[in-house]
Amino acid sequence: HLKDEYYILLDRTYRLPAPTEKPISEGYYSGLLHALFQSDQRLQNLWQGRVPPEDIWLSKAGEIVEEAITTLRPLIIIEPSTPYPAYQVSEEEKGILFDPLRAKLGVAVAVALAYSTGVSTYVIAPYRDQVMQMRLLCQRRYGDLLRRAGLASLVKFTTVHKMLGGEADNIVAVLGKEYFGSEESPTMHFQEPELLNVQLSRHRRVLVVIGDLRMLYRQAGEADKRLKERKYECMRKTVETMLVELAGLKQNELRALPRENVKREGNKAVYYRLY
């Protein structure tokens, strides 16, 4: 009786559809977390049609979202390649933690998801500046489109910390700084490794990750070597499972990719490096 009714609660997640629970299971739960529902169940008949191509950003986002959902792949990873570390220029010039490229991608993907699925879609980021700027960008660029379609209430923006205990059908997770910083002042992901766990575990249907997971993987390894401990092994295992096992990257591609757009397709995930 106990096993049937209660034991399942200890090692099963009712929220995350398999196999999207596997990265955090490997990284944070020693492989003991399993999903009760399969992604095929959650994504079946979810697609309702592509969002109108209001601009080049929304057109590209619509294509990416359509391919993933219609092939029943619940995980999309987008790595925007920039000539400088994310957030650096805005922080130095304006004193805010804001990456305009990630903002445009995050907003476009969120609007495409909400329009194409008709279910709740949250964009979550670690910095309030990033969240506020994305909210304003969405209203300015796509507010009329969402209102005409009756979908304005579906797209929301919030910080990762405010999303603790929350969930949504679709999540667009915009990463923070993926580089370590310093031992005296590590960046947020390295101050709170659990932050990545939260970002990757709020969705019921589709998860989109925007950021440089490969840099996070490399920096976590280098930080552990420098500190002579395995404090960030949880992030390395999580990222490796997402990119290699689910998205189809080769192990050596975690270190280097060609200087061009790259696409890799796994059985349940798709990876884009937009150069």
Side-chain angles (χ1 to χ4, degrees), residues 28-87:
Y28 292 90
Y29 302 105
S30 301
L32 297 177
L33 180 68
H34 306 284
L36 185 65
F37 298 103
Q38 294 294 315
S39 60
D40 290 10
Q41 296 173 270
R42 294 280 178 83
L43 269 63
Q44 195 72 44
N45 301 319
L46 181 63
W47 177 255
Q48 296 184 5
R50 187 187 295 183
V51 64
E54 297 281 305
D55 56 31
I56 190 172
W57 296 93
L58 201 54
S59 179
K60 181 63 177 178
E63 293 175 4
I64 291 173
V65 167
E66 179 179 10
E67 179 179 7
I69 296 177
T70 56
T71 57
L72 302 182
R73 284 182 282 195
L75 177 59
I76 302 169
I77 302 167
I78 302 175
E79 178 186 325
S81 180
T82 57
Y84 52 85
Y87 304 101

